[in-house]
Amino acid sequence: MTETEFTGEEAVETATLPLDAWHRAKGGRMVEFAGYWMPIQYEGIMAEHLWTRENAGLFDVSHMGQLAISGDDVVAALEALVPGDLAALKPGRMRYSLLLAEDGGILDDLMITNEGDQFGIVVNGAVKWDDIAHLREYLPDDINLNHNEDYGLLALQGPKAVDALARLVPEAAGLVFMQTARANWNGHAIGLSRSGYTGEDGFEISLPNEALVAFADALCAMDEVKPIGLGARDSLRLEAGLPLYGHDLDEAIDPIEGDLGFAISKRRREEGGFPGAARILGHLEDGPPRKRVGLIVDGKLPVREGAKLFDGEEEVGVVTSGGFAPSVGAPIAMGYVPTGLSAPGTAIAAEVRGKRVPCTVAAMPFVPHRYVRKQGG
Amino acid sequence: MRRYYTEEHEWVDVDGDVATVGITDFAQSQLGDIVFVEVPDTGAELSAGGDAAVVESVKAASDVYAPVDGVVTEGNGQLEEDPALVNSDPEGEGWFFRMTLSDKSQLDGLMNAQAYKDFIADL
């Protein structure tokens, strides 16, 4: 029987990614995610999570959208839609940014790279079609937007990622965090960036669909590399304090509420000119009414997405992500609280199955980032 | 002592008027790493098919249902300290709770080992 999901009146079939058979052969347990069949786990989330923190984990993130935008005045066109300083983004450099709705709400979070002749943008799989529609609507007609569906995206994350990847692509070792390069592997043109979604050192590698299996096999043949599923990807990013779009961020939340003020570059703060600038700059100035915070849970009971947060008897917020954190050894969560309750150390309670679970607001990340910011460093 | 199985992947060991309940090896393998178990309080009245316990893996919380009607006589306190027992010994040390049997005829609706084996083979 064909698995389908119903969206409105039409039935949309869950799609397969180029590595589908590869995941299944590796023992991946496949689940529907963002419209695709993807591996939630292979040997187990806990083992995969800890492996990535110690060694190198290979993630298939080919569901994400890889876009390229070019044209005269492309910088101005993009800066009208996102709050990053793209004019100052040098060729070969990548920056985290946000696609903003007119009221300053977050439509998606994304990575933008200055590729010299164009800007490369990687967007979340779950909203990529909405992003493309938004970009087509708001970008001037003389700006080109290309959705590259001929390329897949892999992430190799963990302290041993650099050694493993450099055996296949020596250029990898020369990059620092948020730096990118074009390279060649077995005759295939590939893109590399030293970036990721785990808090560890690591890389994201864009390569032609027809090269994915051979590349994944070449990496997994190495002792330090194992394939890692979506389950560990989620627990790793949660420990790293990184928000997940559609859960920790959405259209009702602006970047300051989302604690992503770092993504509003200095020049853009001074000049404005991005969607929702009045609201966002106002929140920067006066503080937002609510804020995304980390929560450390007292005890062992996991506090998950949707749990209500209480200050005494008053309901004050909600958990947007949460679960057991393998590297912390305790449950942790992320959620929204009034700014007055957002200082680390503040006591707050989460409601789970009618019980109040004590939590403490905590600085994020929960597990220190280990990005490589300079060579030899 | 006889062992029965439910379609919700619980096992039930019956010894006289007392049943010991846990989740099957198949269930724990599907759930993955168990990080928390909430067992019912002693004295809790359970009805067949109703919520009895909660088991939480890294990724999700799942309900464990009462296989039959009865009253809880003991929860497995060891699971509080060591929830991973459900992974390592699901059909032994990783039991969830013990309960009285209000109506032994309800056991007739459960599966034996062979029937459960066939049941999961078809999933």
Side-chain angles (χ1 to χ4, degrees), chain A residues 233-257:
Chain A
R233 181 172 165 81
D234 192 47
S235 55
L236 287 159
R237 69 91 194 165
L238 180 61
E239 287 184 343
L242 302 171
L244 173 60
Y245 192 79
H247 300 262
D248 309 301
L249 304 175
D250 62 39
E251 289 177 37
I253 294 162
D254 73 38
I256 309 307
E257 293 170 318

Side-chain angles (χ1 to χ4, degrees), chain A residues 145-183:
Chain A
L145 169 62
N146 176 43
H147 178 202
N148 191 349
E149 296 187 84
D150 300 329
Y151 271 61
L153 192 64
L154 301 176
L156 188 68
Q157 301 281 296
K160 296 181 183 172
V162 61
D163 295 338
L165 185 58
R167 279 181 217 128
L168 300 182
V169 189
E171 292 91 333
L175 298 177
V176 295
F177 183 58
M178 299 297 259
Q179 190 179 8
T180 71
R182 284 173 175 164

Side-chain angles (χ1 to χ4, degrees), chain A residues 67-147:
Chain A
L67 314 180
I69 296 179
S70 61
D72 293 340
D73 293 328
V74 64
V75 168
L78 275 174
E79 283 196 353
L81 304 180
V82 306
D85 186 351
L86 301 183
L89 186 63
K90 296 187 177 76
R93 293 288 170 165
M94 177 184 251
R95 180 161 295 181
Y96 176 82
S97 198
L98 301 158
L99 191 64
L100 297 175
E102 285 179 12
D103 67 355
I106 301 170
L107 296 172
D108 198 4
D109 62 342
L110 38 79
M111 300 296 267
I112 301 185
T113 300
N114 182 344
E115 296 177 354
D117 50 352
Q118 61 184 12
F119 282 87
I121 304 187
V122 177
V123 301
N124 280 297
V127 289
K128 66 182 173 184
W129 302 110
D130 295 334
D131 290 355
I132 291 166
H134 180 86
L135 290 167
R136 288 229 157 93
E137 184 178 348
Y138 284 87
L139 286 172
D141 291 342
D142 58 348
I143 298 290
N144 303 307
L145 169 62
N146 176 43
H147 178 202

